[in-house]
Amino acid sequence: MPTTASLSGREARWLAIGAQGLGAERPSPGARRPGPARLRRLLDQLGALQLDAVNVLERTQFVVPFSRLGAYDRSDLLGLTGPGAPWFEYWGHAASLQPVESYPLFRWRMDEWRSDGAGGAGGRSRPVWLRRRQWREAHADYLAAVLRDVTERGALAASQLADPRRREGEWWDRRSDGRRALEMLFADGVLAGWRNASFERVYDLTERVIPGPVLDRPAPGREEAQRELIATAARSLGVATLGDLADYFWIPGPVARPRVAELVEAGRLIETDVEGWDRPGYAVPGARARPPRRRQASLLSPFDSLIWNRSRTERLFGFRYRIEIYVPEHRRTHGYYVLPLLLSDQLVARFGLKADRQGRALRVTGSYLESGATLSSVVDPAAAELGALRDWLGLEHIAVEARGDLAAPLRRALGGRRPAQTTPR
């Protein structure tokens, strides 16, 4: 029979931080930089690395490894994607990178995209799937022409199609028919894709991108694949509710529920009672809650897998976090692009950050201490982490603006003065 464990709230945080690779010490600044092998081990640990286009600081897929490994060469990460590479991009947690060994686990999702089933990336609503089917049927000849273009000419971005069918109109409706066709073929698994240095997705036939030995493996059945993805999520989360497990790879909750029960029955997951949680948690057998050894503070991207589920972040850390990118400036509480600061097992502060590449400055547009955190314990680790981020980004100085209760002490710790002008955001 499956056993039931009990965890304190703090032990749950320790499990989550350790599982996400944020509990161990980072290499010291003078140590050898982590290379591709270390990045590969990190993604094996995380299971998925979310992609995002926002580049006000640095794109999230680069920041997440920095939070765990410190300074590394971003070109190493780019080199891990593309034809024959060890990582592939697909709809895992949103658009994300996964180890190529897990490619067969997404075949069921590709099959459902092709059949317009409702259990694909996140279980989309019926109207979305109907529109998708209607577009596919109305543009069948064009889809075939786009696939033929890629087949004959090789890897292409949407802008390089022979007939991209660009659209005119408002900015939200300017996605070309060419891009839409490529995205549909990508979701179907007919094409595979990767990002170039400017974040544009490049597409090619799947058999020219995914290594042959991986493509030749028999695809597991839908339910088996879902169990494996949920087991990966459990390992990468440390301890998690059913909703947390479902969210990690965007498996609809009603679909995930029986898969979790099957994993518990098989002894691959253990149900846990977690202090302060109003629903059961699940962990892999043998998981041990150890206090973080990391002494440095760690800035976290808004799309970091430790915190991308906002209800889980509040449940674990008592930290209410919302992205305010789409909030009008006058209504923002903390700023346009805000990174929480992890110190030991707590989220102790948050900082609005922007890389001013022309001015060679890391601009701190807001600095906020969390309730319960003490200024004396936070300011120096925060200054050190901001300095490490500045150096990794190749910037020359840090400009701390006056917003927030941490601004003045942070400026003193950094030995700087208030900048003459504030960032428009």
Side-chain angles (χ1 to χ4, degrees), residues 256-267:
R257 185 178 299 278
R259 305 291 85 79
V260 171
E262 290 157 4
L263 289 166
V264 171
E265 185 62 31

Side-chain angles (χ1 to χ4, degrees), residues 32-41 69 71-73 76-77 80:
R32 183 179 179 182
R33 283 192 168 198
R38 185 64 187 88
L39 287 168
R40 290 183 66 174
R41 291 197 299 274
L69 306 178
Y72 71 97
D73 190 334
D76 285 343
L77 190 148
L80 292 169

